[in-house]
Amino acid sequence: MSLEAGSARIAVLGTGANGAGIGADLTRAGHDVTFIEQWPAHVEAMRANGVRVEMPEETQTTPVRVHHLCEVAEMRQPFDLVFVLVKAYDTRWACELIKPVLAADGLAVGLQNGMQSDDMVEILGSHRTLGAVIEVSSNMFEPGVVERQSPPGKSWFAVGSLSDDTLARVEPVAQILRASGTVEVSDDIRSSKWMKLVANAAELVPSAILDLPLGDAVRMPGMREFMIETGHEAVRTALASGRRLMPIFGMTDDDIAKPDDYAVMLLDRVLTEYTLPSTRTTVLQDWMKGRRSEVHEINGLVVRTQAQLGGRAPFNERVVEVATRIEAGELTASPDNIALLLA
């Protein structure tokens, strides 16, 4: 498998806000990129007009090759590299979909929230799977149009091997992905992914419950403290389950010396480095579109893991409870829900 620019066949499976922006970056860098997407109107808009990525200081329109999910069965030439950017709860079927067209020596990389890497390994094999962490802020409300708050200069990724089978193949993938942001190689990608889950548990669902952009939510009385406690629980859960603190988002080893400070540092780094005041989290975007969120793969994972360890995560439990009521239609996302979180 060759991963040189222009020679590798690359697929981006799931080209919503993040996937389309990353795919456009790779295309502009000279790679052979195919988009695979499940939103029919989005596919047709990109076929007609390319993908338009609106960033704070510039807008780029990139012609792209794009296919509907149903067209994967018609593909004959295998892909050397597949970046998977579907929702965490869609990972297993997406991997089954792409498995027949992933080269025998190809690689799939899950650029997702949650801890789905082992699901990918189970379906595709450890020799064809890499783990990854993604920190990109973007929205999509119109087919073919990405509102990207964090352009490549403000986007961050980590990639890493999930087994000894792929150790030598991580850096070539990282080099390709550097067309879309800063990319670090992690020597413990499962722990790195848990650290991103710490940030997600504190920020994504709690702010969405209030129907507010992240910057507005954290300024609500008591919310910053609530988010930090939610993150603290996730840190303690990760450590108790055998993971270790990792310096993600450009942090250093000195930044991870004190576990009790870790969640605070992550929250502050996301707010200052990777989001704009108007940034709506992916969970809030899902609810605005009438879709379910990844709450059970984020806060719910903290709760389930703590239960397996014989403990509890009450702040995360509260987040899951309120979010579940919103998704069931019993509640509406609203600033008024702060009383339920802080009760």
Side-chain angles (χ1 to χ4, degrees), residues 24 35 64 96 105 138 146 199-200 277 329 340:
F35 286 31
V64 295
E96 293 287 4
D105 61 347
S138 55
V146 177
N200 287 345
L340 299 174

Side-chain angles (χ1 to χ4, degrees), residues 184 246-253 255-256 262 265-266 269:
E184 298 180 7
M246 295 292 288
I248 64 173
F249 301 168
M251 298 166 71
T252 67
D253 288 339
D255 294 327
I256 64 174
Y262 191 84
M265 295 185 67
L266 274 185
R269 192 165 288 258

Side-chain angles (χ1 to χ4, degrees), residues 9-342:
R9 295 194 73 242
I10 300 172
V12 180
L13 176 56
T15 56
N18 286 345
I22 292 167
D25 290 336
L26 299 181
T27 300
R28 295 172 74 89
H31 295 287
D32 179 358
V33 182
T34 297
F35 286 31
I36 301 172
E37 172 55 34
Q38 62 181 316
W39 184 12
H42 185 33
V43 172
E44 297 308 321
M46 290 190 289
R47 281 179 172 172
N49 304 308
V51 58
R52 178 182 173 91
V53 182
E54 300 174 349
M55 294 174 282
E57 297 182 357
E58 66 174 321
T59 294
Q60 297 174 339
T61 299
T62 306
V64 295
R65 182 189 310 117
V66 56
H67 292 276
H68 294 281
L69 283 182
C70 60
E71 294 174 321
V72 172
E74 302 169 7
M75 297 176 178
R76 297 293 180 266
Q77 189 175 356
F79 293 104
D80 301 301
L81 180 60
V82 177
F83 290 109
V84 179
L85 287 106
V86 298
K87 293 294 182 183
Y89 50 70
D90 287 332
T91 301
R92 294 190 68 88
W93 69 255
C95 287
E96 293 287 4
L97 175 76
I98 205 69
K99 183 177 180 179
V101 290
L102 178 63
D105 61 347
L107 285 171
V109 184
L111 294 176
Q112 305 163 279
N113 294 321
M115 299 295 293
Q116 274 57 54
S117 293
D118 288 326
D119 288 332
M120 296 180 65
V121 166
E122 183 179 334
I123 294 167
L124 301 173
S126 62
H127 64 296
R128 294 201 295 175
T129 308
L130 295 183
V133 180
I134 177 173
E135 180 57 33
V136 177
S137 295
S138 55
N139 301 321
M140 175 174 285
F141 299 103
E142 179 182 347
V145 180
V146 177
E147 301 171 11
R148 184 168 175 177
Q149 285 90 14
S150 58
K154 290 284 189 179
S155 297
W156 185 93
F157 306 87
V159 294
S161 178
L162 294 160
S163 73
D164 291 343
D165 299 327
T166 55
L167 283 171
R169 307 175 75 189
V170 176
E171 179 54 37
V173 172
Q175 188 56 40
I176 288 174
L177 192 55
R178 288 187 178 111
S180 198
T182 298
V183 184
E184 298 180 7
V185 172
S186 171
D187 64 359
D188 184 354
I189 195 63
R190 288 183 174 89
S191 289
S192 293
K193 288 184 70 62
W194 251 107
M195 297 306 100
K196 175 61 190 304
L197 191 137
V198 169
N200 287 345
E203 301 156 12
L204 296 189
V205 188
S207 61
I209 284 171
L210 304 185
D211 194 29
L212 292 173
L214 180 56
D216 292 340
V218 79
R219 287 191 292 271
M220 292 282 287
M223 273 304 293
R224 176 180 171 83
E225 293 77 12
F226 180 87
M227 290 178 173
I228 289 171
E229 288 301 323
T230 306
H232 282 330
E233 289 181 350
V235 169
R236 290 193 290 268
T237 303
L239 296 177
S241 60
R243 301 304 168 198
R244 59 190 175 102
L245 297 183
M246 295 292 288
I248 64 173
F249 301 168
M251 298 166 71
T252 67
D253 288 339
D254 289 340
D255 294 327
I256 64 174
K258 298 180 180 179
D260 288 344
D261 294 339
Y262 191 84
V264 180
M265 295 185 67
L266 274 185
L267 176 60
D268 288 343
R269 192 165 288 258
V270 169
L271 288 170
T272 58
E273 299 292 332
Y274 297 103
T275 63
L276 295 177
S278 61
T279 298
R280 298 178 177 92
T281 70
T282 180
V283 172
L284 182 52
Q285 292 182 60
D286 287 336
W287 289 347
M288 292 172 69
K289 298 170 185 176
R291 301 173 181 172
R292 73 179 184 275
S293 72
E294 296 169 309
V295 61
H296 297 293
E297 288 73 25
I298 299 173
N299 303 87
L301 179 64
V302 176
V303 173
R304 292 193 302 277
T305 304
Q306 268 294 340
Q308 292 165 3
L309 294 167
R312 288 188 57 200
F315 286 85
N316 282 275
E317 289 173 10
R318 210 170 305 161
V319 170
V320 172
E321 178 186 358
V322 177
T324 300
R325 292 179 64 189
I326 290 172
E327 295 193 353
E330 298 173 10
L331 282 175
T332 300
S334 164
D336 295 339
N337 293 332
I338 193 170
L340 299 174
L341 292 178
L342 304 185

